[in-house]
Amino acid sequence: QVQLVESGGGLVTPGESLRLSCAASGSISIIYAMGWYRQAPGKQRELVAWLTSNGSTNYGDSVKGRFTIARDNAKKMVYLQMNSLKPEDTAVYYCNTRGKLLTTGDFTSWGQGTQVTVSS
């Protein structure tokens, strides 16, 4: 009932920037929060950045000062600006959205993931 489509991943060299986008669609009444997680090979999925409807943000310690999350509520989109990328940022990045459906209550939805590779 809720679809998330991510875009913007790719291959960059250390120090470069990327911007990820995620668009939510479906039977959404309210979006409580949108954010990004990532999972590197052999590691657990971890929080990258989170943004609530009232503007509160939460960043993973490893990305603070380098990554910035933003939302366009009207378009139901969330963005992740990633600067000063490092090889350890290499992972599949997943968009996550939590909210309320038009008919049946709260939901949590994940995107399909977009690969970010940082390598020289």
Side-chain angles (χ1 to χ4, degrees):
Q1 289 180 302
V2 176
Q3 298 80 40
L4 299 179
V5 177
E6 300 128 332
S7 60
L11 171 64
V12 296
T13 57
E16 290 189 325
S17 300
L18 275 177
R19 185 183 189 227
L20 304 183
S21 300
C22 173
S25 62
S27 303
I28 300 170
S29 174
I30 300 169
I31 292 180
Y32 300 141
M34 299 183 80
W36 296 89
Y37 288 73
R38 68 186 182 187
Q39 188 166 18
K43 295 187 177 181
Q44 290 188 329
R45 191 172 296 189
E46 64 175 358
L47 172 71
V48 176
W50 192 245
L51 177 56
T52 67
S53 58
N54 65 4
S56 296
T57 58
N58 187 24
Y59 291 94
D61 288 340
S62 63
V63 307
K64 287 179 181 176
R66 299 188 297 122
F67 291 10
T68 303
I69 189 169
R71 276 174 63 173
D72 184 329
N73 291 326
K75 295 182 179 180
K76 296 186 179 66
M77 294 192 69
V78 64
Y79 307 95
L80 184 68
Q81 179 65 43
M82 305 185 292
N83 297 330
S84 302
L85 282 161
K86 304 175 181 180
E88 50 264 43
D89 294 317
T90 296
V92 178
Y93 284 69
Y94 296 92
C95 179
N96 177 273
T97 299
R98 301 173 191 177
K100 186 178 185 300
L101 296 171
L102 287 171
T103 55
T104 57
D106 291 348
F107 73 89
T108 297
S109 185
W110 291 91
Q112 79 285 357
T114 185
Q115 177 69 46
V116 172
T117 303
V118 185
S119 175
S120 55

